[in-house]
Amino acid sequence: MILIKKKTQGEIPSTPITSIDFFSLLPPSFPQVLRTDIVMDVGDSLNPAIDIGQVEGAFTQGLGLYTLEELRYSPEGVLLTRGPSTYKIPGFQDIPREFNVSLLRGAPNPRAVFSSKAVGEPPLLLATSVFYAIKQAVASARAEQGFDPVFRLDSPATAERIRMACQDSLTQKVEPVVLDNERPWSVTV
């Protein structure tokens, strides 16, 4: 996925670029990101080691946000997934096996301190490329089974959501049912 903000008059371009390679064993395994390459525009970096660490951390945080971290609430609105036993955050096995981050050179920001640029949100949002790669893989799996490749997949793309989105003879037998007089034990927002 390539995200480029085009330069317009009075603006300084920000150019984060990422490439994702992953494999997926559907079902039952969760997709594993094999390789991620990110080129990040931070202007003239004040400390490249810190900036690269920030990019890696933000991307990993985004990976969790878009693929793992599912918030569940009780019908009364109490957050149920509020601790390590009920809330999945990225671990070492979720980080791309090969994780390459480099900083774009020759793109200073003349209006900032020492010609630097911010590092925060762009790499976090680059993790959406993993979500959409998963969605594309599920669309292919659905097409192979003769199902419509156009479907809804909500974020985060958890293993459960991926499995149910794939659609096959097994998932056709499972239908979530909540009777009119019953309340679900949890609600996903």
Side-chain angles (χ1 to χ4, degrees), residues 11-12 15 21-22 25 31 39 72 79 86 90-91 95 108-109 133 136 147 154 170 172 174-175:
E11 268 188 278
I12 296 175
T15 316
D21 293 332
F22 80 100
L25 303 174
V39 178
R72 291 193 170 264
L79 180 63
T86 58
I95 296 170
N109 179 3
Q136 186 61 45
F147 292 99
D154 293 331
L170 185 60
Q172 293 296 312
V174 178
E175 205 171 304

mmCIF file with all atom_site columns, all heavy atoms in Angstrom, residues 11-12 15 21-22 25 31 39 72 79 86 90-91 95 108-109 133 136 147 154 170 172 174-175:
data_model
loop_
_atom_site.group_PDB
_atom_site.id
_atom_site.type_symbol
_atom_site.label_atom_id
_atom_site.label_alt_id
_atom_site.label_comp_id
_atom_site.label_asym_id
_atom_site.label_entity_id
_atom_site.label_seq_id
_atom_site.pdbx_PDB_ins_code
_atom_site.Cartn_x
_atom_site.Cartn_y
_atom_site.Cartn_z
_atom_site.occupancy
_atom_site.B_iso_or_equiv
_atom_site.pdbx_formal_charge
_atom_site.auth_seq_id
_atom_site.auth_comp_id
_atom_site.auth_asym_id
_atom_site.auth_atom_id
_atom_site.pdbx_PDB_model_num
ATOM 1   N N   . GLU A 1 11  ? 1.992   23.672  1.582  1.00 0.00 ? 11  GLU A N   1
ATOM 2   C CA  . GLU A 1 11  ? 2.060   22.456  2.380  1.00 0.00 ? 11  GLU A CA  1
ATOM 3   C C   . GLU A 1 11  ? 3.394   21.772  2.193  1.00 0.00 ? 11  GLU A C   1
ATOM 4   O O   . GLU A 1 11  ? 4.009   21.842  1.142  1.00 0.00 ? 11  GLU A O   1
ATOM 5   C CB  . GLU A 1 11  ? 0.977   21.470  1.929  1.00 0.00 ? 11  GLU A CB  1
ATOM 6   C CG  . GLU A 1 11  ? -0.294  21.585  2.688  1.00 0.00 ? 11  GLU A CG  1
ATOM 7   C CD  . GLU A 1 11  ? -1.220  20.456  2.309  1.00 0.00 ? 11  GLU A CD  1
ATOM 8   O OE1 . GLU A 1 11  ? -1.890  20.585  1.274  1.00 0.00 ? 11  GLU A OE1 1
ATOM 9   O OE2 . GLU A 1 11  ? -1.257  19.454  3.027  1.00 0.00 ? 11  GLU A OE2 1
ATOM 10  N N   . ILE A 1 12  ? 3.820   21.071  3.224  1.00 0.00 ? 12  ILE A N   1
ATOM 11  C CA  . ILE A 1 12  ? 5.034   20.274  3.143  1.00 0.00 ? 12  ILE A CA  1
ATOM 12  C C   . ILE A 1 12  ? 4.597   18.821  3.053  1.00 0.00 ? 12  ILE A C   1
ATOM 13  O O   . ILE A 1 12  ? 3.820   18.358  3.880  1.00 0.00 ? 12  ILE A O   1
ATOM 14  C CB  . ILE A 1 12  ? 5.927   20.516  4.366  1.00 0.00 ? 12  ILE A CB  1
ATOM 15  C CG1 . ILE A 1 12  ? 6.367   21.976  4.326  1.00 0.00 ? 12  ILE A CG1 1
ATOM 16  C CG2 . ILE A 1 12  ? 7.101   19.566  4.393  1.00 0.00 ? 12  ILE A CG2 1
ATOM 17  C CD1 . ILE A 1 12  ? 7.156   22.424  5.491  1.00 0.00 ? 12  ILE A CD1 1
ATOM 18  N N   . THR A 1 15  ? 5.369   11.637  3.363  1.00 0.00 ? 15  THR A N   1
ATOM 19  C CA  . THR A 1 15  ? 5.346   10.507  2.453  1.00 0.00 ? 15  THR A CA  1
ATOM 20  C C   . THR A 1 15  ? 5.661   9.187   3.135  1.00 0.00 ? 15  THR A C   1
ATOM 21  O O   . THR A 1 15  ? 6.754   8.674   2.994  1.00 0.00 ? 15  THR A O   1
ATOM 22  C CB  . THR A 1 15  ? 6.369   10.731  1.314  1.00 0.00 ? 15  THR A CB  1
ATOM 23  O OG1 . THR A 1 15  ? 6.251   12.070  0.866  1.00 0.00 ? 15  THR A OG1 1
ATOM 24  C CG2 . THR A 1 15  ? 6.142   9.806   0.157  1.00 0.00 ? 15  THR A CG2 1
ATOM 25  N N   . ASP A 1 21  ? 4.031   -8.251  3.080  1.00 0.00 ? 21  ASP A N   1
ATOM 26  C CA  . ASP A 1 21  ? 3.949   -9.625  2.577  1.00 0.00 ? 21  ASP A CA  1
ATOM 27  C C   . ASP A 1 21  ? 3.476   -10.479 3.743  1.00 0.00 ? 21  ASP A C   1
ATOM 28  O O   . ASP A 1 21  ? 4.022   -10.393 4.832  1.00 0.00 ? 21  ASP A O   1
ATOM 29  C CB  . ASP A 1 21  ? 5.319   -10.147 2.128  1.00 0.00 ? 21  ASP A CB  1
ATOM 30  C CG  . ASP A 1 21  ? 5.850   -9.427  0.903  1.00 0.00 ? 21  ASP A CG  1
ATOM 31  O OD1 . ASP A 1 21  ? 5.027   -8.947  0.107  1.00 0.00 ? 21  ASP A OD1 1
ATOM 32  O OD2 . ASP A 1 21  ? 7.070   -9.345  0.760  1.00 0.00 ? 21  ASP A OD2 1
ATOM 33  N N   . PHE A 1 22  ? 2.451   -11.303 3.516  1.00 0.00 ? 22  PHE A N   1
ATOM 34  C CA  . PHE A 1 22  ? 2.020   -12.176 4.596  1.00 0.00 ? 22  PHE A CA  1
ATOM 35  C C   . PHE A 1 22  ? 1.487   -13.466 4.015  1.00 0.00 ? 22  PHE A C   1
ATOM 36  O O   . PHE A 1 22  ? 1.183   -13.571 2.840  1.00 0.00 ? 22  PHE A O   1
ATOM 37  C CB  . PHE A 1 22  ? 0.971   -11.502 5.481  1.00 0.00 ? 22  PHE A CB  1
ATOM 38  C CG  . PHE A 1 22  ? -0.429  -11.508 4.940  1.00 0.00 ? 22  PHE A CG  1
ATOM 39  C CD1 . PHE A 1 22  ? -1.347  -12.429 5.382  1.00 0.00 ? 22  PHE A CD1 1
ATOM 40  C CD2 . PHE A 1 22  ? -0.834  -10.590 3.987  1.00 0.00 ? 22  PHE A CD2 1
ATOM 41  C CE1 . PHE A 1 22  ? -2.636  -12.437 4.893  1.00 0.00 ? 22  PHE A CE1 1
ATOM 42  C CE2 . PHE A 1 22  ? -2.116  -10.579 3.494  1.00 0.00 ? 22  PHE A CE2 1
ATOM 43  C CZ  . PHE A 1 22  ? -3.020  -11.515 3.957  1.00 0.00 ? 22  PHE A CZ  1
ATOM 44  N N   . LEU A 1 25  ? -3.065  -19.128 6.793  1.00 0.00 ? 25  LEU A N   1
ATOM 45  C CA  . LEU A 1 25  ? -3.588  -20.485 6.792  1.00 0.00 ? 25  LEU A CA  1
ATOM 46  C C   . LEU A 1 25  ? -5.020  -20.395 7.295  1.00 0.00 ? 25  LEU A C   1
ATOM 47  O O   . LEU A 1 25  ? -5.263  -20.316 8.484  1.00 0.00 ? 25  LEU A O   1
ATOM 48  C CB  . LEU A 1 25  ? -2.760  -21.386 7.712  1.00 0.00 ? 25  LEU A CB  1
ATOM 49  C CG  . LEU A 1 25  ? -1.282  -21.472 7.399  1.00 0.00 ? 25  LEU A CG  1
ATOM 50  C CD1 . LEU A 1 25  ? -0.561  -22.270 8.474  1.00 0.00 ? 25  LEU A CD1 1
ATOM 51  C CD2 . LEU A 1 25  ? -1.075  -22.127 6.047  1.00 0.00 ? 25  LEU A CD2 1
ATOM 52  N N   . PRO A 1 31  ? -3.363  -14.943 10.269 1.00 0.00 ? 31  PRO A N   1
ATOM 53  C CA  . PRO A 1 31  ? -2.327  -14.551 9.306  1.00 0.00 ? 31  PRO A CA  1
ATOM 54  C C   . PRO A 1 31  ? -1.054  -14.063 9.997  1.00 0.00 ? 31  PRO A C   1
ATOM 55  O O   . PRO A 1 31  ? -1.117  -13.365 11.001 1.00 0.00 ? 31  PRO A O   1
ATOM 56  C CB  . PRO A 1 31  ? -2.971  -13.412 8.527  1.00 0.00 ? 31  PRO A CB  1
ATOM 57  C CG  . PRO A 1 31  ? -4.433  -13.613 8.700  1.00 0.00 ? 31  PRO A CG  1
ATOM 58  C CD  . PRO A 1 31  ? -4.605  -14.224 10.052 1.00 0.00 ? 31  PRO A CD  1
ATOM 59  N N   . VAL A 1 39  ? 9.118   3.138   4.491  1.00 0.00 ? 39  VAL A N   1
ATOM 60  C CA  . VAL A 1 39  ? 9.977   4.299   4.269  1.00 0.00 ? 39  VAL A CA  1
ATOM 61  C C   . VAL A 1 39  ? 9.194   5.484   4.807  1.00 0.00 ? 39  VAL A C   1
ATOM 62  O O   . VAL A 1 39  ? 8.105   5.778   4.325  1.00 0.00 ? 39  VAL A O   1
ATOM 63  C CB  . VAL A 1 39  ? 10.307  4.499   2.775  1.00 0.00 ? 39  VAL A CB  1
ATOM 64  C CG1 . VAL A 1 39  ? 11.157  5.740   2.583  1.00 0.00 ? 39  VAL A CG1 1
ATOM 65  C CG2 . VAL A 1 39  ? 10.986  3.270   2.197  1.00 0.00 ? 39  VAL A CG2 1
ATOM 66  N N   . ARG A 1 72  ? -15.063 -5.607  24.070 1.00 0.00 ? 72  ARG A N   1
ATOM 67  C CA  . ARG A 1 72  ? -16.373 -6.204  24.335 1.00 0.00 ? 72  ARG A CA  1
ATOM 68  C C   . ARG A 1 72  ? -16.946 -5.577  25.592 1.00 0.00 ? 72  ARG A C   1
ATOM 69  O O   . ARG A 1 72  ? -16.240 -5.406  26.581 1.00 0.00 ? 72  ARG A O   1
ATOM 70  C CB  . ARG A 1 72  ? -16.274 -7.713  24.498 1.00 0.00 ? 72  ARG A CB  1
ATOM 71  C CG  . ARG A 1 72  ? -15.940 -8.431  23.212 1.00 0.00 ? 72  ARG A CG  1
ATOM 72  C CD  . ARG A 1 72  ? -16.163 -9.917  23.374 1.00 0.00 ? 72  ARG A CD  1
ATOM 73  N NE  . ARG A 1 72  ? -16.068 -10.585 22.100 1.00 0.00 ? 72  ARG A NE  1
ATOM 74  C CZ  . ARG A 1 72  ? -17.115 -10.885 21.332 1.00 0.00 ? 72  ARG A CZ  1
ATOM 75  N NH1 . ARG A 1 72  ? -18.318 -10.578 21.729 1.00 0.00 ? 72  ARG A NH1 1
ATOM 76  N NH2 . ARG A 1 72  ? -16.953 -11.498 20.185 1.00 0.00 ? 72  ARG A NH2 1
ATOM 77  N N   . LEU A 1 79  ? -17.051 -2.288  30.299 1.00 0.00 ? 79  LEU A N   1
ATOM 78  C CA  . LEU A 1 79  ? -16.005 -2.873  29.468 1.00 0.00 ? 79  LEU A CA  1
ATOM 79  C C   . LEU A 1 79  ? -15.554 -4.199  30.074 1.00 0.00 ? 79  LEU A C   1
ATOM 80  O O   . LEU A 1 79  ? -15.096 -4.251  31.216 1.00 0.00 ? 79  LEU A O   1
ATOM 81  C CB  . LEU A 1 79  ? -14.815 -1.914  29.339 1.00 0.00 ? 79  LEU A CB  1
ATOM 82  C CG  . LEU A 1 79  ? -13.638 -2.382  28.503 1.00 0.00 ? 79  LEU A CG  1
ATOM 83  C CD1 . LEU A 1 79  ? -14.057 -2.584  27.038 1.00 0.00 ? 79  LEU A CD1 1
ATOM 84  C CD2 . LEU A 1 79  ? -12.496 -1.378  28.580 1.00 0.00 ? 79  LEU A CD2 1
ATOM 85  N N   . THR A 1 86  ? -8.134  -10.901 29.129 1.00 0.00 ? 86  THR A N   1
ATOM 86  C CA  . THR A 1 86  ? -9.311  -10.793 28.260 1.00 0.00 ? 86  THR A CA  1
ATOM 87  C C   . THR A 1 86  ? -9.095  -9.896  27.044 1.00 0.00 ? 86  THR A C   1
ATOM 88  O O   . THR A 1 86  ? -9.990  -9.783  26.209 1.00 0.00 ? 86  THR A O   1
ATOM 89  C CB  . THR A 1 86  ? -10.509 -10.229 29.050 1.00 0.00 ? 86  THR A CB  1
ATOM 90  O OG1 . THR A 1 86  ? -10.147 -8.945  29.581 1.00 0.00 ? 86  THR A OG1 1
ATOM 91  C CG2 . THR A 1 86  ? -10.923 -11.154 30.170 1.00 0.00 ? 86  THR A CG2 1
ATOM 92  N N   . PRO A 1 90  ? -0.642  -6.915  20.757 1.00 0.00 ? 90  PRO A N   1
ATOM 93  C CA  . PRO A 1 90  ? 0.401   -7.566  19.964 1.00 0.00 ? 90  PRO A CA  1
ATOM 94  C C   . PRO A 1 90  ? 1.534   -8.088  20.846 1.00 0.00 ? 90  PRO A C   1
ATOM 95  O O   . PRO A 1 90  ? 1.973   -7.436  21.779 1.00 0.00 ? 90  PRO A O   1
ATOM 96  C CB  . PRO A 1 90  ? 0.914   -6.450  19.055 1.00 0.00 ? 90  PRO A CB  1
ATOM 97  C CG  . PRO A 1 90  ? -0.128  -5.403  19.069 1.00 0.00 ? 90  PRO A CG  1
ATOM 98  C CD  . PRO A 1 90  ? -0.837  -5.522  20.383 1.00 0.00 ? 90  PRO A CD  1
ATOM 99  N N   . GLY A 1 91  ? 1.969   -9.280  20.534 1.00 0.00 ? 91  GLY A N   1
ATOM 100 C CA  . GLY A 1 91  ? 3.123   -9.881  21.201 1.00 0.00 ? 91  GLY A CA  1
ATOM 101 C C   . GLY A 1 91  ? 4.247   -10.061 20.205 1.00 0.00 ? 91  GLY A C   1
ATOM 102 O O   . GLY A 1 91  ? 4.134   -9.688  19.030 1.00 0.00 ? 91  GLY A O   1
ATOM 103 N N   . ILE A 1 95  ? 4.640   -9.470  15.538 1.00 0.00 ? 95  ILE A N   1
ATOM 104 C CA  . ILE A 1 95  ? 5.495   -8.523  14.833 1.00 0.00 ? 95  ILE A CA  1
ATOM 105 C C   . ILE A 1 95  ? 5.954   -9.172  13.529 1.00 0.00 ? 95  ILE A C   1
ATOM 106 O O   . ILE A 1 95  ? 6.222   -10.373 13.493 1.00 0.00 ? 95  ILE A O   1
ATOM 107 C CB  . ILE A 1 95  ? 6.700   -8.133  15.717 1.00 0.00 ? 95  ILE A CB  1
ATOM 108 C CG1 . ILE A 1 95  ? 6.199   -7.408  16.970 1.00 0.00 ? 95  ILE A CG1 1
ATOM 109 C CG2 . ILE A 1 95  ? 7.685   -7.261  14.964 1.00 0.00 ? 95  ILE A CG2 1
ATOM 110 C CD1 . ILE A 1 95  ? 7.253   -7.195  18.016 1.00 0.00 ? 95  ILE A CD1 1
ATOM 111 N N   . PRO A 1 108 ? 13.642  17.874  3.967  1.00 0.00 ? 108 PRO A N   1
ATOM 112 C CA  . PRO A 1 108 ? 13.573  18.668  5.201  1.00 0.00 ? 108 PRO A CA  1
ATOM 113 C C   . PRO A 1 108 ? 12.271  19.457  5.304  1.00 0.00 ? 108 PRO A C   1
ATOM 114 O O   . PRO A 1 108 ? 11.572  19.669  4.323  1.00 0.00 ? 108 PRO A O   1
ATOM 115 C CB  . PRO A 1 108 ? 14.768  19.612  5.068  1.00 0.00 ? 108 PRO A CB  1
ATOM 116 C CG  . PRO A 1 108 ? 14.965  19.760  3.598  1.00 0.00 ? 108 PRO A CG  1
ATOM 117 C CD  . PRO A 1 108 ? 14.596  18.417  3.007  1.00 0.00 ? 108 PRO A CD  1
ATOM 118 N N   . ASN A 1 109 ? 11.976  19.871  6.514  1.00 0.00 ? 109 ASN A N   1
ATOM 119 C CA  . ASN A 1 109 ? 10.821  20.708  6.792  1.00 0.00 ? 109 ASN A CA  1
ATOM 120 C C   . ASN A 1 109 ? 11.356  22.058  7.263  1.00 0.00 ? 109 ASN A C   1
ATOM 121 O O   . ASN A 1 109 ? 11.671  22.225  8.431  1.00 0.00 ? 109 ASN A O   1
ATOM 122 C CB  . ASN A 1 109 ? 9.961   20.063  7.873  1.00 0.00 ? 109 ASN A CB  1
ATOM 123 C CG  . ASN A 1 109 ? 8.749   20.908  8.226  1.00 0.00 ? 109 ASN A CG  1
ATOM 124 O OD1 . ASN A 1 109 ? 8.516   21.958  7.633  1.00 0.00 ? 109 ASN A OD1 1
ATOM 125 N ND2 . ASN A 1 109 ? 7.986   20.458  9.188  1.00 0.00 ? 109 ASN A ND2 1
ATOM 126 N N   . ALA A 1 133 ? -5.019  -6.298  3.415  1.00 0.00 ? 133 ALA A N   1
ATOM 127 C CA  . ALA A 1 133 ? -4.422  -7.503  2.824  1.00 0.00 ? 133 ALA A CA  1
ATOM 128 C C   . ALA A 1 133 ? -5.187  -8.739  3.307  1.00 0.00 ? 133 ALA A C   1
ATOM 129 O O   . ALA A 1 133 ? -5.446  -9.666  2.523  1.00 0.00 ? 133 ALA A O   1
ATOM 130 C CB  . ALA A 1 133 ? -2.945  -7.601  3.189  1.00 0.00 ? 133 ALA A CB  1
ATOM 131 N N   . GLN A 1 136 ? -8.488  -8.855  1.477  1.00 0.00 ? 136 GLN A N   1
ATOM 132 C CA  . GLN A 1 136 ? -8.301  -9.328  0.101  1.00 0.00 ? 136 GLN A CA  1
ATOM 133 C C   . GLN A 1 136 ? -8.114  -10.845 0.068  1.00 0.00 ? 136 GLN A C   1
ATOM 134 O O   . GLN A 1 136 ? -8.644  -11.525 -0.818 1.00 0.00 ? 136 GLN A O   1
ATOM 135 C CB  . GLN A 1 136 ? -7.107  -8.628  -0.548 1.00 0.00 ? 136 GLN A CB  1
ATOM 136 C CG  . GLN A 1 136 ? -6.923  -8.957  -2.012 1.00 0.00 ? 136 GLN A CG  1
ATOM 137 C CD  . GLN A 1 136 ? -8.116  -8.535  -2.853 1.00 0.00 ? 136 GLN A CD  1
ATOM 138 O OE1 . GLN A 1 136 ? -8.636  -7.439  -2.710 1.00 0.00 ? 136 GLN A OE1 1
ATOM 139 N NE2 . GLN A 1 136 ? -8.576  -9.412  -3.728 1.00 0.00 ? 136 GLN A NE2 1
ATOM 140 N N   . PHE A 1 147 ? -18.581 -18.038 -3.215 1.00 0.00 ? 147 PHE A N   1
ATOM 141 C CA  . PHE A 1 147 ? -19.324 -17.009 -2.492 1.00 0.00 ? 147 PHE A CA  1
ATOM 142 C C   . PHE A 1 147 ? -18.940 -15.626 -3.013 1.00 0.00 ? 147 PHE A C   1
ATOM 143 O O   . PHE A 1 147 ? -17.884 -15.452 -3.618 1.00 0.00 ? 147 PHE A O   1
ATOM 144 C CB  . PHE A 1 147 ? -19.047 -17.094 -0.982 1.00 0.00 ? 147 PHE A CB  1
ATOM 145 C CG  . PHE A 1 147 ? -19.601 -18.332 -0.350 1.00 0.00 ? 147 PHE A CG  1
ATOM 146 C CD1 . PHE A 1 147 ? -18.783 -19.422 -0.105 1.00 0.00 ? 147 PHE A CD1 1
ATOM 147 C CD2 . PHE A 1 147 ? -20.944 -18.423 -0.006 1.00 0.00 ? 147 PHE A CD2 1
ATOM 148 C CE1 . PHE A 1 147 ? -19.285 -20.574 0.467  1.00 0.00 ? 147 PHE A CE1 1
ATOM 149 C CE2 . PHE A 1 147 ? -21.449 -19.566 0.568  1.00 0.00 ? 147 PHE A CE2 1
ATOM 150 C CZ  . PHE A 1 147 ? -20.630 -20.651 0.809  1.00 0.00 ? 147 PHE A CZ  1
ATOM 151 N N   . ASP A 1 154 ? -15.448 -6.156  9.709  1.00 0.00 ? 154 ASP A N   1
ATOM 152 C CA  . ASP A 1 154 ? -15.209 -5.071  10.652 1.00 0.00 ? 154 ASP A CA  1
ATOM 153 C C   . ASP A 1 154 ? -13.828 -5.200  11.268 1.00 0.00 ? 154 ASP A C   1
ATOM 154 O O   . ASP A 1 154 ? -13.297 -6.291  11.433 1.00 0.00 ? 154 ASP A O   1
ATOM 155 C CB  . ASP A 1 154 ? -16.262 -5.081  11.763 1.00 0.00 ? 154 ASP A CB  1
ATOM 156 C CG  . ASP A 1 154 ? -17.655 -4.744  11.255 1.00 0.00 ? 154 ASP A CG  1
ATOM 157 O OD1 . ASP A 1 154 ? -17.755 -3.992  10.262 1.00 0.00 ? 154 ASP A OD1 1
ATOM 158 O OD2 . ASP A 1 154 ? -18.647 -5.220  11.838 1.00 0.00 ? 154 ASP A OD2 1
ATOM 159 N N   . LEU A 1 170 ? -18.855 -25.448 6.613  1.00 0.00 ? 170 LEU A N   1
ATOM 160 C CA  . LEU A 1 170 ? -18.859 -25.457 8.073  1.00 0.00 ? 170 LEU A CA  1
ATOM 161 C C   . LEU A 1 170 ? -19.451 -24.169 8.643  1.00 0.00 ? 170 LEU A C   1
ATOM 162 O O   . LEU A 1 170 ? -20.298 -24.217 9.547  1.00 0.00 ? 170 LEU A O   1
ATOM 163 C CB  . LEU A 1 170 ? -17.433 -25.664 8.600  1.00 0.00 ? 170 LEU A CB  1
ATOM 164 C CG  . LEU A 1 170 ? -17.293 -25.822 10.102 1.00 0.00 ? 170 LEU A CG  1
ATOM 165 C CD1 . LEU A 1 170 ? -18.075 -27.040 10.598 1.00 0.00 ? 170 LEU A CD1 1
ATOM 166 C CD2 . LEU A 1 170 ? -15.836 -25.949 10.485 1.00 0.00 ? 170 LEU A CD2 1
ATOM 167 N N   . GLN A 1 172 ? -21.527 -22.270 7.276  1.00 0.00 ? 172 GLN A N   1
ATOM 168 C CA  . GLN A 1 172 ? -22.954 -22.199 6.938  1.00 0.00 ? 172 GLN A CA  1
ATOM 169 C C   . GLN A 1 172 ? -23.803 -22.866 8.017  1.00 0.00 ? 172 GLN A C   1
ATOM 170 O O   . GLN A 1 172 ? -24.969 -22.524 8.183  1.00 0.00 ? 172 GLN A O   1
ATOM 171 C CB  . GLN A 1 172 ? -23.212 -22.872 5.581  1.00 0.00 ? 172 GLN A CB  1
ATOM 172 C CG  . GLN A 1 172 ? -22.585 -22.150 4.407  1.00 0.00 ? 172 GLN A CG  1
ATOM 173 C CD  . GLN A 1 172 ? -23.179 -20.767 4.205  1.00 0.00 ? 172 GLN A CD  1
ATOM 174 O OE1 . GLN A 1 172 ? -24.384 -20.593 4.200  1.00 0.00 ? 172 GLN A OE1 1
ATOM 175 N NE2 . GLN A 1 172 ? -22.316 -19.783 4.048  1.00 0.00 ? 172 GLN A NE2 1
ATOM 176 N N   . VAL A 1 174 ? -23.191 -22.630 11.239 1.00 0.00 ? 174 VAL A N   1
ATOM 177 C CA  . VAL A 1 174 ? -23.146 -21.821 12.446 1.00 0.00 ? 174 VAL A CA  1
ATOM 178 C C   . VAL A 1 174 ? -23.882 -20.519 12.189 1.00 0.00 ? 174 VAL A C   1
ATOM 179 O O   . VAL A 1 174 ? -23.538 -19.763 11.290 1.00 0.00 ? 174 VAL A O   1
ATOM 180 C CB  . VAL A 1 174 ? -21.676 -21.511 12.845 1.00 0.00 ? 174 VAL A CB  1
ATOM 181 C CG1 . VAL A 1 174 ? -21.645 -20.636 14.084 1.00 0.00 ? 174 VAL A CG1 1
ATOM 182 C CG2 . VAL A 1 174 ? -20.901 -22.788 13.040 1.00 0.00 ? 174 VAL A CG2 1
ATOM 183 N N   . GLU A 1 175 ? -24.907 -20.287 12.980 1.00 0.00 ? 175 GLU A N   1
ATOM 184 C CA  . GLU A 1 175 ? -25.648 -19.044 12.846 1.00 0.00 ? 175 GLU A CA  1
ATOM 185 C C   . GLU A 1 175 ? -25.852 -18.460 14.233 1.00 0.00 ? 175 GLU A C   1
ATOM 186 O O   . GLU A 1 175 ? -26.479 -19.090 15.090 1.00 0.00 ? 175 GLU A O   1
ATOM 187 C CB  . GLU A 1 175 ? -27.005 -19.325 12.181 1.00 0.00 ? 175 GLU A CB  1
ATOM 188 C CG  . GLU A 1 175 ? -27.553 -18.130 11.467 1.00 0.00 ? 175 GLU A CG  1
ATOM 189 C CD  . GLU A 1 175 ? -28.763 -18.506 10.642 1.00 0.00 ? 175 GLU A CD  1
ATOM 190 O OE1 . GLU A 1 175 ? -28.658 -19.408 9.805  1.00 0.00 ? 175 GLU A OE1 1
ATOM 191 O OE2 . GLU A 1 175 ? -29.801 -17.876 10.863 1.00 0.00 ? 175 GLU A OE2 1
#
